Amino acid sequence: MPARRTRIVLRDLAKTFRDGNRAVAAVEDVSFEIFDREFVAIVGPSGCGKSTILNMLGGLVTPSAGRVEIDDVGVTGAVPAKVGYVFQKDTVLPWRTVARNIAVGLEYRGVPRPERERRVRDAIALAGLGGFEEAFPATLSGGMRQRVALMRTLVVEPEILLMDEPFGALDTHTKINLHAELLALWQARHPTVVFVTHDLSEAITLADRIVVMTRRPGRVKLVHEVKLARPRDVIKLRETDEYGHEYGRLWHVLGEELAAPA
Ligand SMILES: Nc1ncnc2c1ncn2[C@@H]1O[C@H](COP(=O)(O)OP(=O)(O)OP(=O)(O)O)[C@@H](O)[C@H]1O
Ligand SMILES: [Mg+2]
């Protein structure tokens, strides 16, 4: 088997936020690598710096120390064009309809109209938003808005996908459907994915490897390889003993951080 190509490198990363006299050490000593086409999940307690790590990967937050490289190039400033970012807060544009929200990245990249319309149509069907093409975000539920934001990023087919709790606000049923869709899409196009979540089941269902963070200041506690065969059936998977073992082991490690005194 050929050696796997490293796509993303985080080296000795640290971030301290300064706010007047107050300094908050968000993350410290974070080092790991992500391979081409790999699906990596980052889990850890609230406030341990998961979003901060993703923001440093996307060039939105400057590290206090250390370095991020994507394809051997240091990330400084703007999000590279090959990177798609699904933010933790839904970031739909209130003045655009559902269809025009999803189209925004394609418009920006100058994709011709017929292709744009076809891709937006497919994305709307995939996200179960049929019938809402002309609706404005204010008239949608929170979960629907989040699906619009998700599709807006997926529709441009980025090589690298940064996802910050993209399904956090969704009900279990919708969430599991979107897990299946995301896995199908990943299986078909194989983007490199960095996926932040609180939800261990979600991380195990989706990821090749899971990075478990300590509580703040967040450090890498464990990098765990998920040894579950692919393609994965998002429903049946959860009934298997292998899934149960993965969950038990990781829950123990994560639980130490949740239970530890602040
Ligand atoms: N722009 C900022 N200015 C000041 N402090 C910040 C800023 N962004 C994050 N922080 C602080 O850094 C720490 C880590 O925040 P971050 O949002 O990365 O955590 P998280 O792991 O994503 O949490 P959650 O799971 O709740 O989303 C927190 O203490 C937060 O208050
Ligand atoms: Mg966060």
Side-chain angles (χ1 to χ4, degrees):
M1 213 169 88
R4 292 192 290 178
R5 181 164 74 94
T6 300
R7 241 191 130 184
I8 303 174
V9 178
L10 299 84
R11 192 173 303 139
D12 305 324
L13 263 192
K15 179 68 190 179
T16 297
F17 290 102
R18 290 182 200 288
D19 181 9
N21 292 330
R22 225 163 56 93
V24 176
V27 293
E28 272 176 18
D29 287 335
V30 170
S31 296
F32 60 93
E33 298 187 348
I34 297 168
F35 299 109
D36 188 32
R37 305 168 140 230
E38 195 179 21
F39 198 126
V40 170
I42 302 176
V43 300
S46 181
C48 76
K50 302 181 296 297
S51 296
T52 302
I53 290 176
L54 226 51
N55 285 336
M56 291 193 281
L57 287 178
L60 303 172
V61 162
T62 309
S64 308
R67 193 172 160 74
V68 177
E69 286 173 13
I70 294 182
D71 297 336
D72 301 320
V73 178
V75 172
T76 49
V79 185
K82 59 188 147 196
V83 175
Y85 202 136
V86 183
F87 292 94
Q88 183 167 9
K89 285 196 211 101
D90 91 56
T91 50
V92 293
L93 307 168
W95 58 89
R96 280 182 168 238
T97 62
V98 165
R100 297 206 56 232
N101 257 289
I102 294 175
V104 74
L106 298 172
E107 288 175 18
Y108 184 71
R109 285 170 172 75
V111 174
R113 187 169 181 153
E115 186 187 340
R116 211 165 66 208
E117 288 180 347
R118 181 182 55 74
R119 283 163 71 172
V120 168
R121 227 178 9 253
D122 290 351
I124 283 174
L126 192 66
L129 291 166
F132 291 90
E133 292 80 352
E134 301 309 316
F136 284 92
T139 67
L140 304 176
S141 72
M144 292 165 88
R145 274 201 298 277
Q146 188 62 3
R147 278 182 273 154
V148 173
L150 176 68
M151 284 306 150
R152 190 179 56 191
T153 302
L154 294 185
V155 81
V156 301
E157 302 185 9
E159 287 175 41
I160 295 174
L161 202 44
L162 307 179
M163 307 179 83
D164 195 352
E165 306 204 36
F167 308 140
L170 303 180
D171 64 282
T172 310
H173 181 78
T174 309
K175 201 181 204 180
I176 286 179
N177 280 340
L178 284 169
H179 288 163
E181 298 301 348
L182 180 60
L183 281 182
L185 183 135
W186 179 79
Q187 210 84 39
R189 295 192 205 134
H190 267 297
T192 303
V193 183
V194 189
F195 189 105
V196 165
T197 179
H198 277 108
D199 179 345
L200 209 45
S201 317
E202 175 167 83
I204 296 167
T205 301
L206 298 173
D208 295 314
R209 284 190 300 152
I210 299 177
V211 178
V212 182
M213 305 285 300
T214 66
R215 64 193 191 281
R216 192 176 58 240
R219 296 163 177 264
V220 176
K221 176 159 179 144
L222 174 75
V223 179
H224 175 83
E225 191 167 338
V226 180
K227 294 200 180 71
L228 299 173
R230 295 194 189 267
R232 297 177 186 166
D233 179 317
V234 299
I235 309 262
K236 289 197 184 123
L237 183 75
R238 295 188 189 213
E239 296 165 6
T240 62
D241 291 343
E242 292 81 3
Y243 175 89
H245 289 142
E246 297 280 350
Y247 194 93
R249 159 111 169 86
L250 286 162
W251 181 249
H252 178 75
V253 175
L254 188 58
E256 287 173 349
E257 294 307 312
L258 301 176

